Amino acid sequence: MHILIVSPEQFPLPGSGSVEICILAIAEQLSQHHLVTVISPLFSHQTEETWRNPKLRIKRINDAKLPSEYSKAVIKTITQLEQPVDIIQVDNRPRSMSRIKEAFPSIPVVLFLHSLTFIPQNRLITSSLQKADLIITNSKSLTRAVLHRFPIQTTKLTHIALGVDHFRFKPLEDAEKRVYYEHYGLPADQFHILYVGRLIPQKGISTLIRAIHHLKPSIKSKTHLIIAGKTKSKAYRNTLQKLAQKLHVSVTFLGEIPHEQIHTLYPLASCMVCPSQKHEAFGLVNIEALSCGIPVIASRNGGMKEIITHGYNGFLVTHYKQAKNFTSHLSHLAQSTELLSLMGDNGRTAVLERYAWQVTAQKLESVYMNLL
Protein backbone atom coordinates (compact mmCIF):
# COMPACT_ATOMS: atom_id res chain seq x y z
CA MET A 1 0.00 0.00 0.00
CA HIS A 2 0.91 3.63 -0.46
CA ILE A 3 -0.48 5.33 2.66
CA LEU A 4 -0.69 9.12 2.79
CA ILE A 5 -1.04 10.83 6.17
CA VAL A 6 -2.03 14.49 6.48
CA SER A 7 -0.83 16.30 9.59
CA PRO A 8 -2.89 19.31 10.76
CA GLU A 9 -1.88 22.73 9.43
CA GLN A 10 -0.32 23.88 12.72
CA PHE A 11 1.57 20.69 13.58
CA PRO A 12 5.01 20.33 11.98
CA LEU A 13 6.79 16.99 11.95
CA PRO A 14 8.72 16.04 13.92
CA GLY A 15 7.18 17.85 16.90
CA SER A 16 6.62 17.55 20.64
CA GLY A 17 2.81 17.63 20.67
CA SER A 18 0.92 14.38 21.18
CA VAL A 19 -0.64 14.48 17.68
CA GLU A 20 2.73 14.97 15.98
CA ILE A 21 4.29 12.24 18.13
CA CYS A 22 1.52 9.81 17.21
CA ILE A 23 1.61 10.56 13.48
CA LEU A 24 5.36 10.08 13.19
CA ALA A 25 5.49 6.96 15.39
CA ILE A 26 2.67 5.30 13.44
CA ALA A 27 4.16 6.32 10.08
CA GLU A 28 7.54 4.85 11.02
CA GLN A 29 5.93 1.54 11.94
CA LEU A 30 3.75 1.38 8.81
CA SER A 31 6.76 2.16 6.62
CA GLN A 32 8.34 -1.16 7.57
CA HIS A 33 5.90 -2.84 5.17
CA HIS A 34 4.37 -0.02 3.11
CA LEU A 35 5.28 3.19 1.32
CA VAL A 36 4.22 6.11 3.54
CA THR A 37 4.05 9.79 2.62
CA VAL A 38 3.33 12.33 5.35
CA ILE A 39 2.25 15.86 4.44
CA SER A 40 3.11 18.47 7.07
CA PRO A 41 3.32 22.27 7.31
CA LEU A 42 6.75 23.77 6.66
CA PHE A 43 8.36 25.73 9.47
CA SER A 44 11.49 27.88 9.12
CA HIS A 45 13.96 25.38 10.57
CA GLN A 46 12.92 22.55 8.22
CA THR A 47 13.44 21.44 4.63
CA GLU A 48 10.62 20.91 2.14
CA GLU A 49 11.22 17.19 1.88
CA THR A 50 12.78 14.64 4.23
CA TRP A 51 13.18 10.87 3.85
CA ARG A 52 13.08 9.32 7.33
CA ASN A 53 13.86 5.93 5.81
CA PRO A 54 13.66 4.45 2.28
CA LYS A 55 9.87 4.07 2.58
CA LEU A 56 8.91 7.09 4.68
CA ARG A 57 8.90 10.57 3.19
CA ILE A 58 7.74 13.84 4.77
CA LYS A 59 6.64 16.52 2.30
CA ARG A 60 6.23 19.96 3.86
CA ILE A 61 3.96 22.72 2.61
CA ASN A 62 4.89 26.40 2.81
CA ASP A 63 2.69 29.54 2.90
CA ALA A 64 -0.57 27.84 3.84
CA LYS A 65 -1.47 29.01 7.32
CA LEU A 66 -5.26 29.00 6.99
CA PRO A 67 -6.99 25.59 7.08
CA SER A 68 -8.67 26.13 3.69
CA GLU A 69 -5.35 27.16 2.07
CA TYR A 70 -3.60 24.19 3.63
CA SER A 71 -6.25 21.76 2.32
CA LYS A 72 -5.87 23.15 -1.21
CA ALA A 73 -2.08 22.81 -0.99
CA VAL A 74 -2.41 19.23 0.30
CA ILE A 75 -4.71 18.32 -2.59
CA LYS A 76 -2.26 19.84 -5.09
CA THR A 77 0.63 17.94 -3.49
CA ILE A 78 -1.25 14.63 -3.71
CA THR A 79 -1.95 15.12 -7.41
CA GLN A 80 1.78 15.67 -8.03
CA LEU A 81 2.98 12.48 -6.29
CA GLU A 82 4.84 10.02 -8.49
CA GLN A 83 3.06 6.95 -7.12
CA PRO A 84 -0.75 6.62 -6.78
CA VAL A 85 -2.13 6.78 -3.23
CA ASP A 86 -4.18 3.85 -1.89
CA ILE A 87 -5.32 5.28 1.47
CA ILE A 88 -5.47 8.83 2.83
CA GLN A 89 -5.45 9.40 6.60
CA VAL A 90 -6.28 12.89 7.85
CA ASP A 91 -5.55 13.54 11.52
CA ASN A 92 -7.90 15.59 13.69
CA ARG A 93 -9.29 17.91 11.00
CA PRO A 94 -12.78 16.84 9.77
CA ARG A 95 -13.25 19.82 7.43
CA SER A 96 -9.90 19.25 5.78
CA MET A 97 -10.74 15.54 5.48
CA SER A 98 -14.03 16.47 3.81
CA ARG A 99 -12.33 18.70 1.23
CA ILE A 100 -9.75 16.01 0.45
CA LYS A 101 -12.46 13.35 0.05
CA GLU A 102 -14.32 15.58 -2.40
CA ALA A 103 -11.11 15.95 -4.42
CA PHE A 104 -10.39 12.20 -4.41
CA PRO A 105 -13.76 10.40 -4.26
CA SER A 106 -12.35 7.07 -5.42
CA ILE A 107 -9.68 6.88 -2.68
CA PRO A 108 -10.68 5.75 0.85
CA VAL A 109 -10.22 8.72 3.18
CA VAL A 110 -10.00 8.12 6.93
CA LEU A 111 -10.30 10.62 9.78
CA PHE A 112 -8.08 9.80 12.77
CA LEU A 113 -9.48 11.67 15.78
CA HIS A 114 -7.29 12.43 18.80
CA SER A 115 -9.75 14.57 20.79
CA LEU A 116 -13.08 16.41 20.78
CA THR A 117 -11.41 19.77 20.19
CA PHE A 118 -12.09 20.05 16.47
CA ILE A 119 -15.53 18.49 16.32
CA PRO A 120 -17.95 21.05 17.76
CA GLN A 121 -21.55 19.95 17.48
CA ASN A 122 -22.84 21.75 14.39
CA ARG A 123 -24.20 21.00 10.91
CA LEU A 124 -20.93 21.70 9.10
CA ILE A 125 -18.96 19.19 11.20
CA THR A 126 -21.82 16.67 10.97
CA SER A 127 -21.73 16.93 7.18
CA SER A 128 -17.91 16.64 7.13
CA LEU A 129 -17.85 13.53 9.34
CA GLN A 130 -20.40 11.78 7.17
CA LYS A 131 -18.04 12.04 4.17
CA ALA A 132 -15.33 9.96 5.84
CA ASP A 133 -15.01 6.35 4.73
CA LEU A 134 -13.99 5.54 8.30
CA ILE A 135 -13.43 7.42 11.56
CA ILE A 136 -10.75 6.09 13.90
CA THR A 137 -10.62 7.22 17.53
CA ASN A 138 -7.85 6.62 20.05
CA SER A 139 -10.17 5.35 22.80
CA LYS A 140 -13.57 3.79 23.45
CA SER A 141 -14.45 6.93 25.39
CA LEU A 142 -13.86 9.15 22.37
CA THR A 143 -15.91 6.80 20.20
CA ARG A 144 -18.84 7.07 22.61
CA ALA A 145 -18.51 10.86 22.72
CA VAL A 146 -18.57 11.12 18.91
CA LEU A 147 -21.62 8.87 18.67
CA HIS A 148 -23.34 10.93 21.36
CA ARG A 149 -22.72 14.19 19.48
CA PHE A 150 -23.39 13.11 15.90
CA PRO A 151 -25.84 10.88 13.97
CA ILE A 152 -23.19 8.49 12.67
CA GLN A 153 -23.53 4.73 12.13
CA THR A 154 -21.50 2.74 14.65
CA THR A 155 -20.01 0.69 11.81
CA LYS A 156 -18.31 3.84 10.55
CA LEU A 157 -16.22 4.15 13.73
CA THR A 158 -13.50 2.04 15.26
CA HIS A 159 -11.00 2.72 18.01
CA ILE A 160 -7.29 1.93 18.02
CA ALA A 161 -5.25 2.63 21.15
CA LEU A 162 -2.03 4.60 20.89
CA GLY A 163 1.37 3.27 21.87
CA VAL A 164 4.72 4.07 23.40
CA ASP A 165 8.34 3.24 22.60
CA HIS A 166 8.97 1.05 25.66
CA PHE A 167 12.63 0.61 24.69
CA ARG A 168 13.13 4.34 25.25
CA PHE A 169 10.55 4.90 28.00
CA LYS A 170 11.85 2.59 30.70
CA PRO A 171 12.92 2.62 34.37
CA LEU A 172 16.40 3.94 35.20
CA GLU A 173 19.06 2.62 37.56
CA ASP A 174 19.81 4.71 40.66
CA ALA A 175 23.14 5.93 39.26
CA GLU A 176 21.41 7.19 36.11
CA LYS A 177 18.75 8.90 38.19
CA ARG A 178 21.36 10.82 40.15
CA VAL A 179 22.81 12.18 36.91
CA TYR A 180 19.42 13.37 35.72
CA TYR A 181 18.41 14.83 39.10
CA GLU A 182 21.47 17.04 38.80
CA HIS A 183 20.76 17.77 35.12
CA TYR A 184 17.24 19.02 35.88
CA GLY A 185 18.25 20.73 39.13
CA LEU A 186 15.95 18.59 41.26
CA PRO A 187 16.43 17.77 44.95
CA ALA A 188 17.30 14.15 45.67
CA ASP A 189 15.67 11.86 48.26
CA GLN A 190 12.22 13.39 47.91
CA PHE A 191 8.77 12.03 47.13
CA HIS A 192 8.63 13.49 43.61
CA ILE A 193 5.22 14.11 42.07
CA LEU A 194 5.30 14.75 38.34
CA TYR A 195 2.92 16.64 36.06
CA VAL A 196 3.58 16.56 32.29
CA GLY A 197 1.40 18.50 29.87
CA ARG A 198 0.27 21.93 28.79
CA LEU A 199 -0.10 24.60 31.46
CA ILE A 200 -3.75 25.49 30.94
CA PRO A 201 -6.55 25.72 33.55
CA GLN A 202 -8.51 22.67 32.35
CA LYS A 203 -5.55 20.40 33.09
CA GLY A 204 -6.13 20.87 36.82
CA ILE A 205 -2.62 21.86 37.92
CA SER A 206 -3.96 24.18 40.61
CA THR A 207 -6.00 21.24 41.95
CA LEU A 208 -2.80 19.21 42.18
CA ILE A 209 -1.00 22.00 44.06
CA ARG A 210 -3.88 22.19 46.54
CA ALA A 211 -3.86 18.40 46.91
CA ILE A 212 -0.20 18.50 47.96
CA HIS A 213 -0.98 21.34 50.36
CA HIS A 214 -3.46 19.05 52.17
CA LEU A 215 -0.85 16.34 52.84
CA LYS A 216 0.18 15.79 56.45
CA PRO A 217 3.14 18.06 57.32
CA SER A 218 5.43 15.05 57.84
CA ILE A 219 4.73 13.90 54.25
CA LYS A 220 4.50 17.34 52.68
CA SER A 221 7.95 18.30 53.97
CA LYS A 222 9.46 15.46 51.91
CA THR A 223 7.37 16.09 48.80
CA HIS A 224 8.45 17.95 45.67
CA LEU A 225 6.30 18.76 42.65
CA ILE A 226 7.80 18.75 39.15
CA ILE A 227 5.85 20.55 36.43
CA ALA A 228 6.97 20.02 32.83
CA GLY A 229 5.08 21.60 29.97
CA LYS A 230 4.67 24.64 27.77
CA THR A 231 2.31 27.54 28.23
CA LYS A 232 1.16 30.39 26.02
CA SER A 233 0.30 32.44 29.11
CA LYS A 234 3.10 33.60 31.38
CA ALA A 235 0.39 35.10 33.57
CA TYR A 236 -1.11 31.65 34.20
CA ARG A 237 2.28 30.19 35.05
CA ASN A 238 2.86 33.08 37.47
CA THR A 239 -0.53 32.36 39.03
CA LEU A 240 0.49 28.74 39.62
CA GLN A 241 3.85 29.80 41.07
CA LYS A 242 2.16 32.24 43.46
CA LEU A 243 -0.34 29.57 44.53
CA ALA A 244 2.48 27.12 45.29
CA GLN A 245 4.34 29.80 47.28
CA LYS A 246 1.21 30.73 49.22
CA LEU A 247 0.50 27.08 50.10
CA HIS A 248 4.19 26.30 50.80
CA VAL A 249 4.36 23.60 48.12
CA SER A 250 7.89 22.84 46.94
CA VAL A 251 7.87 22.94 43.14
CA THR A 252 10.14 23.12 40.10
CA PHE A 253 8.80 24.48 36.81
CA LEU A 254 10.91 22.96 34.04
CA GLY A 255 9.07 24.45 31.06
CA GLU A 256 8.68 22.40 27.91
CA ILE A 257 10.98 19.37 27.68
CA PRO A 258 11.51 18.17 24.08
CA HIS A 259 9.91 14.79 23.52
CA GLU A 260 13.22 13.24 22.54
CA GLN A 261 14.42 14.00 26.11
CA ILE A 262 11.25 13.54 28.19
CA HIS A 263 11.96 9.83 28.78
CA THR A 264 14.79 10.90 31.10
CA LEU A 265 12.37 12.81 33.34
CA TYR A 266 9.56 10.31 34.00
CA PRO A 267 11.70 7.73 35.91
CA LEU A 268 12.85 10.43 38.35
CA ALA A 269 9.33 10.74 39.73
CA SER A 270 7.76 8.63 42.45
CA CYS A 271 4.42 8.98 40.68
CA MET A 272 2.70 11.06 38.03
CA VAL A 273 -0.61 12.88 38.46
CA CYS A 274 -2.97 13.73 35.60
CA PRO A 275 -5.70 15.83 37.28
CA SER A 276 -7.57 16.88 34.10
CA GLN A 277 -10.83 18.68 34.76
CA LYS A 278 -12.25 18.07 31.27
CA HIS A 279 -12.53 15.10 28.91
CA GLU A 280 -9.21 13.49 27.99
CA ALA A 281 -9.60 11.29 24.93
CA PHE A 282 -6.53 9.19 25.71
CA GLY A 283 -3.65 10.87 27.52
CA LEU A 284 -0.39 9.75 25.93
CA VAL A 285 1.60 10.93 28.97
CA ASN A 286 -0.08 8.24 31.07
CA ILE A 287 1.32 5.30 29.13
CA GLU A 288 4.70 7.02 28.85
CA ALA A 289 4.79 7.28 32.65
CA LEU A 290 3.61 3.69 33.15
CA SER A 291 6.23 2.47 30.68
CA CYS A 292 8.88 4.12 32.88
CA GLY A 293 7.65 2.13 35.87
CA ILE A 294 5.88 4.82 37.87
CA PRO A 295 2.22 4.69 39.01
CA VAL A 296 -0.29 7.26 37.77
CA ILE A 297 -3.04 9.04 39.68
CA ALA A 298 -5.59 10.35 37.18
CA SER A 299 -9.05 11.84 36.99
CA ARG A 300 -11.68 9.18 36.26
CA ASN A 301 -12.24 10.88 32.98
CA GLY A 302 -12.41 9.89 29.30
CA GLY A 303 -9.90 7.41 27.93
CA MET A 304 -7.76 7.49 31.07
CA LYS A 305 -10.22 5.01 32.61
CA GLU A 306 -9.10 2.55 29.92
CA ILE A 307 -5.40 2.93 30.80
CA ILE A 308 -5.35 3.13 34.59
CA THR A 309 -6.67 0.16 36.55
CA HIS A 310 -7.59 1.48 39.99
CA GLY A 311 -5.42 -0.10 42.65
CA TYR A 312 -3.26 -1.98 40.14
CA ASN A 313 -1.08 0.50 38.23
CA GLY A 314 -2.38 3.66 39.85
CA PHE A 315 -5.52 5.32 41.12
CA LEU A 316 -8.56 6.89 39.47
CA VAL A 317 -10.16 9.88 41.18
CA THR A 318 -13.93 10.04 40.69
CA HIS A 319 -14.68 13.45 42.21
CA TYR A 320 -11.64 15.04 40.62
CA LYS A 321 -12.67 18.67 41.11
CA GLN A 322 -11.97 18.28 44.83
CA ALA A 323 -8.25 18.43 45.61
CA LYS A 324 -8.46 16.32 48.77
CA ASN A 325 -9.54 13.30 46.71
CA PHE A 326 -6.08 13.33 45.12
CA THR A 327 -4.46 13.91 48.51
CA SER A 328 -5.58 10.57 49.94
CA HIS A 329 -3.97 8.60 47.08
CA LEU A 330 -0.79 10.67 47.20
CA SER A 331 -0.55 10.02 50.91
CA HIS A 332 -1.05 6.30 50.38
CA LEU A 333 1.80 6.11 47.86
CA ALA A 334 4.12 8.39 49.83
CA GLN A 335 3.95 6.10 52.86
CA SER A 336 4.62 2.81 51.06
CA THR A 337 7.70 2.19 48.95
CA GLU A 338 6.43 -1.37 48.43
CA LEU A 339 3.19 -0.11 46.88
CA LEU A 340 5.10 2.34 44.68
CA SER A 341 7.31 -0.47 43.43
CA LEU A 342 4.45 -2.93 42.91
CA MET A 343 2.26 -0.45 41.02
CA GLY A 344 5.25 0.69 38.97
CA ASP A 345 5.99 -2.89 37.94
CA ASN A 346 2.33 -3.48 37.14
CA GLY A 347 2.22 -0.38 34.97
CA ARG A 348 5.29 -1.42 33.02
CA THR A 349 3.81 -4.90 32.50
CA ALA A 350 0.49 -3.46 31.27
CA VAL A 351 2.29 -1.28 28.72
CA LEU A 352 4.38 -4.17 27.40
CA GLU A 353 1.22 -6.24 26.97
CA ARG A 354 -1.13 -3.62 25.51
CA TYR A 355 0.54 -0.42 24.34
CA ALA A 356 3.20 -0.50 21.64
CA TRP A 357 3.40 1.47 18.41
CA GLN A 358 3.90 -1.82 16.54
CA VAL A 359 0.49 -2.99 17.79
CA THR A 360 -1.15 0.33 16.86
CA ALA A 361 0.30 0.13 13.34
CA GLN A 362 -0.68 -3.52 12.89
CA LYS A 363 -4.31 -2.75 13.79
CA LEU A 364 -4.29 0.26 11.48
CA GLU A 365 -2.83 -1.82 8.67
CA SER A 366 -5.57 -4.43 9.11
CA VAL A 367 -8.28 -1.75 9.01
CA TYR A 368 -6.82 -0.25 5.84
CA MET A 369 -6.53 -3.61 4.11
CA ASN A 370 -10.21 -4.23 4.85
CA LEU A 371 -11.14 -0.82 3.41
CA LEU A 372 -9.32 -1.68 0.19
Side-chain angles (χ1 to χ4, degrees):
M1 282 189 291
H2 181 192
I3 303 167
L4 184 129
I5 301 175
V6 182
S7 176
E9 70 280 354
Q10 296 173 332
F11 295 169
L13 294 178
S16 287
S18 60
V19 174
E20 302 100 290
I21 292 163
C22 294
I23 290 173
L24 196 54
I26 290 170
E28 287 175 340
Q29 291 296 323
L30 287 172
S31 68
Q32 293 183 16
H33 304 288
H34 307 280
L35 178 63
V36 180
T37 301
V38 180
I39 298 180
S40 162
L42 176 67
F43 279 52
S44 59
H45 61 285
Q46 298 171 321
T47 57
E48 290 189 357
E49 184 170 294
T50 303
W51 286 88
R52 300 280 294 191
N53 64 49
K55 289 188 175 182
L56 173 56
R57 172 174 56 174
I58 300 176
K59 292 184 73 68
R60 299 185 178 91
I61 292 173
N62 195 16
D63 299 328
K65 302 303 181 185
L66 294 175
S68 57
E69 294 175 349
Y70 184 66
S71 297
K72 289 178 183 177
V74 167
I75 291 166
K76 181 180 178 181
T77 300
I78 295 172
T79 61
Q80 295 173 342
L81 293 175
E82 306 87 358
Q83 186 165 338
V85 174
D86 297 303
I87 290 278
I88 299 175
Q89 172 187 314
V90 181
D91 281 64
N92 237 26
R93 293 294 190 273
R95 293 183 64 184
S96 178
M97 176 277 301
S98 176
R99 296 185 189 106
I100 292 168
K101 180 61 184 177
E102 288 174 357
F104 304 100
S106 62
I107 302 175
V109 178
V110 176
L111 177 66
F112 198 127
L113 279 178
H114 297 263
S115 70
L116 292 169
T117 305
F118 295 96
I119 52 169
Q121 198 168 1
N122 60 48
R123 290 182 181 179
L124 184 58
I125 297 300
T126 300
S127 174
S128 296
L129 292 176
Q130 289 171 343
K131 292 176 184 176
D133 290 285
L134 185 70
I135 299 171
I136 298 173
T137 66
N138 57 20
S139 68
K140 294 177 184 177
S141 173
L142 185 53
T143 296
R144 288 192 295 269
V146 172
L147 289 172
H148 179 73
R149 286 189 178 194
F150 303 98
I152 300 173
Q153 293 179 337
T154 56
T155 54
K156 205 170 187 176
L157 282 96
T158 188
H159 82 275
I160 298 176
L162 304 179
V164 63
D165 180 355
H166 50 76
F167 295 103
R168 186 160 73 90
F169 289 85
K170 61 183 180 181
L172 294 178
E173 298 294 334
D174 289 343
E176 294 176 292
K177 287 183 181 181
R178 285 194 290 271
V179 171
Y180 287 115
Y181 278 133
E182 185 174 347
H183 171 76
Y184 288 112
L186 299 171
D189 302 320
Q190 295 280 296
F191 178 67
H192 288 101
I193 300 168
L194 176 65
Y195 168 84
V196 176
R198 289 178 296 159
L199 274 61
I200 51 178
Q202 55 264 43
K203 292 294 185 179
I205 306 166
S206 61
T207 301
L208 174 55
I209 293 172
R210 290 187 175 93
I212 295 171
H213 166 66
H214 291 305
L215 287 168
K216 292 179 180 178
S218 59
I219 300 174
K220 183 181 176 183
S221 64
K222 298 177 182 177
T223 296
H224 186 76
L225 174 60
I226 307 166
I227 296 177
K230 63 181 178 181
T231 180
K232 293 181 179 179
S233 171
K234 290 183 179 179
Y236 181 63
R237 173 174 166 158
N238 290 340
T239 298
L240 294 174
Q241 287 176 317
K242 288 177 181 177
L243 178 63
Q245 290 171 358
K246 177 183 176 182
L247 300 180
H248 304 289
V249 172
S250 176
V251 60
T252 297
F253 286 82
L254 292 176
E256 182 180 13
I257 306 297
H259 193 256
E260 59 267 22
Q261 299 173 18
I262 196 72
H263 63 284
T264 63
L265 179 61
Y266 284 109
L268 306 184
S270 306
C271 68
M272 191 184 81
V273 181
C274 192
S276 295
Q277 301 295 293
K278 292 189 176 181
H279 184 272
E280 287 279 353
F282 187 82
L284 191 62
V285 294
N286 294 297
I287 57 172
E288 290 178 344
L290 294 176
S291 187
C292 290
I294 64 170
V296 175
I297 302 173
S299 302
R300 191 183 290 273
N301 167 332
M304 295 190 291
K305 302 191 299 289
E306 300 163 34
I307 299 169
I308 310 302
T309 302
H310 187 76
Y312 176 73
N313 56 6
F315 294 108
L316 290 168
V317 179
T318 302
H319 301 292
Y320 47 80
K321 294 189 182 298
Q322 300 171 13
K324 287 185 177 180
N325 291 326
F326 288 93
T327 305
S328 58
H329 298 305
L330 287 170
S331 180
H332 198 182
L333 289 175
Q335 296 179 85
S336 176
T337 54
E338 289 183 3
L339 185 61
L340 278 173
S341 178
L342 177 61
M343 283 191 165
D345 291 343
N346 290 343
R348 174 75 176 170
T349 299
V351 166
L352 294 176
E353 291 175 350
R354 297 171 54 193
Y355 301 106
W357 287 122
Q358 300 96 303
V359 175
T360 304
Q362 286 167 6
K363 291 180 178 179
L364 203 55
E365 178 186 47
S366 177
V367 165
Y368 289 168
M369 294 296 285
N370 286 337
L371 269 181
L372 292 174

